[in-house]
Amino acid sequence: MLKLFHAWGSCSLAPMIALEEAGADYEVAVLSTRDGDQRRAEYLAINPKGRVPALVTDRGVLTENPAILAWIAQAYPDARLAPLDDPWAFGQAQAFNSYLCATVHVAHAHKHRGYRWTDDKQAQAELTRKVPETMSACFQLIEDEMLMGPYVLGKAFSICDAYLFTLADWLEGDDVDPRQFPKVHEHRERVRVRPAVSKALAQQPA
Amino acid sequence: MLKLFHAWGSCSLAPMIALEEAGADYEVAVLSTRDGDQRRAEYLAINPKGRVPALVTDRGVLTENPAILAWIAQAYPDARLAPLDDPWAFGQAQAFNSYLCATVHVAHAHKHRGYRWTDDKQAQAELTRKVPETMSACFQLIEDEMLMGPYVLGKAFSICDAYLFTLADWLEGDDVDPRQFPKVHEHRERVRVRPAVSKALAQQPA
């Protein structure tokens, strides 16, 4: 059975939603990043990057959201979670997910994880300070240029929607009002009420 | 004909190498990031992110290296640039490229592009200071855990090799001695002498 290493509040919610949408048989191993579970030896043996998500499959471990999400779409083609038969449309999906992974998530991470890029406490505070501005810029670009509507790629729900929902739910915590971005905001609430998404979210301890 | 928007010294060398390896018919539009070409209105109309690479195809514009590289592999299947028929192996390729895009490239960018994450000059200097350490940590992980050898995914050259070569060639500029990582270093020199890579590099003005 698939096993997803997941932390609540992290981006590993995206593959959890995708697995629910796919109707996959999977179990969840919950890590507490606050307690540093992701840096313990037993987890580093699974994912030496010390990050979530990691998806354990019968072929081995897969990491990185854009790769995990695309794999879920390919492994469960009946769920139609990506345009698998059209390389160009698939490329657009991968480009969207790469932007979330390498730009939006990175912008967000400068709030609490500035220690990755500087040991200086004052500099870390400066990184935290700019997060509302960088996150707003990212979501303005998504609003204006990327989110076709009603779903990211147009009419059909895809892995991109699971990922965007996950990161858009960080906006309030990053001191950004999501209502500045009406399409993103409506998208977020549209995705939240999907049965698979509700089922994933319901697993979070109160 | 395909058109690649490229800047010398940037990560857009990776798709240029992949296009050469694929034997694709393409033209290159060279931008000077030093002169800010990527932020001019005429380029923002092509890629509103204001970054390279962007690949103009007959279907539209594709951005983000992991997406562009996978698309090239899919569009030129005879070149066998990715394990297209095995979703799990393809996932491993995408995971590797995601790591380069979202972690290694981001580490590197803190040297000269700290203004993305802070307006404070002192904090930017602190970000620059840590780059040799973060880049070394990234390449140690690649050396120990990711590079199967002789190529990234094992016996066959793939899009992952074009991308790793491109980023590994930044090490000296980031004050990291590539010989600390013998497998990465040998890989870099193995890739450099491939005819397609030489052909791409030869286009750089002296």
Side-chain angles (χ1 to χ4, degrees):
Chain A
M1 199 198 314
L2 297 171
K3 184 173 187 175
L4 177 67
F5 284 87
H6 167 64
W8 290 108
S10 87
C11 68
S12 56
L13 178 63
M16 194 175 169
I17 289 171
L19 288 166
E20 287 291 345
E21 293 277 355
D25 191 19
Y26 73 102
E27 59 177 328
V28 177
V30 175
L31 301 185
S32 167
T33 51
R34 188 164 296 186
D35 296 339
D37 289 349
Q38 76 279 19
R39 289 186 294 272
R40 293 192 209 288
E42 60 190 301
Y43 185 66
L44 292 176
I46 293 160
N47 181 8
K49 294 172 185 168
R51 307 269 180 101
V52 290
L55 184 67
V56 183
T57 77
D58 60 2
R59 294 276 298 274
V61 180
L62 198 57
T63 59
E64 305 284 341
N65 260 332
I68 293 173
L69 292 168
W71 181 85
I72 293 169
Q74 291 184 312
Y76 299 90
D78 293 348
R80 299 179 177 275
L81 293 175
L84 299 175
D85 300 328
D86 178 343
W88 199 80
F90 181 72
Q92 294 295 84
Q94 289 298 90
F96 184 82
N97 286 349
S98 277
Y99 181 72
L100 295 188
C101 181
T103 301
V104 184
H105 191 155
V106 169
H108 166 79
H110 281 75
K111 183 167 188 180
H112 292 303
R113 301 187 191 281
Y115 58 80
R116 288 178 179 165
W117 301 288
T118 175
D119 302 319
D120 185 87
K121 296 289 179 195
Q122 182 102 28
Q124 290 173 15
E126 292 294 339
L127 296 179
T128 300
R129 183 200 305 270
K130 199 175 168 74
V131 167
E133 180 187 332
T134 56
M135 285 293 276
S136 292
C138 290
F139 277 89
Q140 193 66 59
L141 198 67
I142 293 168
E143 177 85 7
D144 293 343
E145 303 286 351
M146 299 185 194
L147 175 49
M148 294 176 68
Y151 294 105
V152 170
L153 301 178
K155 287 182 187 168
F157 180 89
S158 75
I159 47 176
C160 300
D161 299 293
Y163 203 4
L164 177 59
F165 168 79
T166 299
L167 271 54
D169 231 20
W170 293 344
L171 285 170
E172 285 90 340
D174 287 343
D175 298 317
V176 178
D177 182 350
R179 289 168 299 183
Q180 287 177 260
F181 316 109
K183 286 168 64 184
V184 171
H185 188 240
E186 284 168 28
H187 173 271
R188 196 178 77 167
E189 303 317 310
R190 184 179 299 124
V191 172
R192 194 188 307 280
V193 297
R194 291 174 67 86
V197 178
S198 301
K199 199 173 159 201
L201 293 173
Q203 297 179 50
Q204 181 164 16
Chain B
M1 199 197 315
L2 296 171
K3 185 174 187 175
L4 177 68
F5 285 86
H6 168 62
W8 291 107
S10 87
C11 69
S12 57
L13 178 61
M16 193 173 169
I17 290 171
L19 289 165
E20 287 290 345
E21 292 278 355
D25 191 19
Y26 74 104
E27 60 178 327
V28 177
V30 175
L31 301 184
S32 167
T33 51
R34 189 164 295 186
D35 295 340
D37 289 349
Q38 76 278 21
R39 288 187 293 271
R40 293 191 209 288
E42 59 190 300
Y43 184 66
L44 292 175
I46 293 160
N47 180 9
K49 295 172 186 168
R51 306 270 180 101
V52 289
L55 184 67
V56 183
T57 77
D58 60 2
R59 294 277 297 275
V61 179
L62 197 57
T63 60
E64 306 284 341
N65 261 332
I68 293 172
L69 292 168
W71 182 84
I72 293 169
Q74 292 184 311
Y76 299 90
D78 293 348
R80 298 179 177 276
L81 293 175
L84 299 174
D85 299 329
D86 178 342
W88 198 80
F90 181 73
Q92 293 296 83
Q94 290 298 91
F96 184 82
N97 286 348
S98 277
Y99 181 72
L100 295 189
C101 182
T103 301
V104 185
H105 192 155
V106 169
H108 166 80
H110 282 75
K111 182 167 187 178
H112 291 305
R113 303 189 189 281
Y115 58 81
R116 287 179 179 164
W117 301 288
T118 174
D119 302 320
D120 185 87
K121 296 288 179 195
Q122 182 100 30
Q124 290 173 14
E126 292 294 337
L127 296 178
T128 299
R129 183 200 306 269
K130 199 175 167 75
V131 168
E133 180 187 332
T134 56
M135 285 292 276
S136 293
C138 290
F139 277 88
Q140 193 67 58
L141 198 67
I142 293 169
E143 177 85 5
D144 293 344
E145 304 286 349
M146 299 186 195
L147 175 50
M148 295 177 67
Y151 293 105
V152 170
L153 302 178
K155 287 183 186 167
F157 179 90
S158 76
I159 48 175
C160 300
D161 299 293
Y163 203 5
L164 177 59
F165 168 79
T166 299
L167 272 54
D169 230 20
W170 293 344
L171 284 170
E172 285 91 340
D174 286 344
D175 298 318
V176 178
D177 183 350
R179 289 167 300 184
Q180 288 178 258
F181 315 109
K183 286 168 64 183
V184 171
H185 188 240
E186 284 168 27
H187 174 271
R188 195 177 79 167
E189 303 317 311
R190 185 178 299 124
V191 172
R192 194 188 306 282
V193 297
R194 292 174 66 85
V197 179
S198 301
K199 199 173 159 199
L201 293 172
Q203 296 179 49
Q204 182 164 16

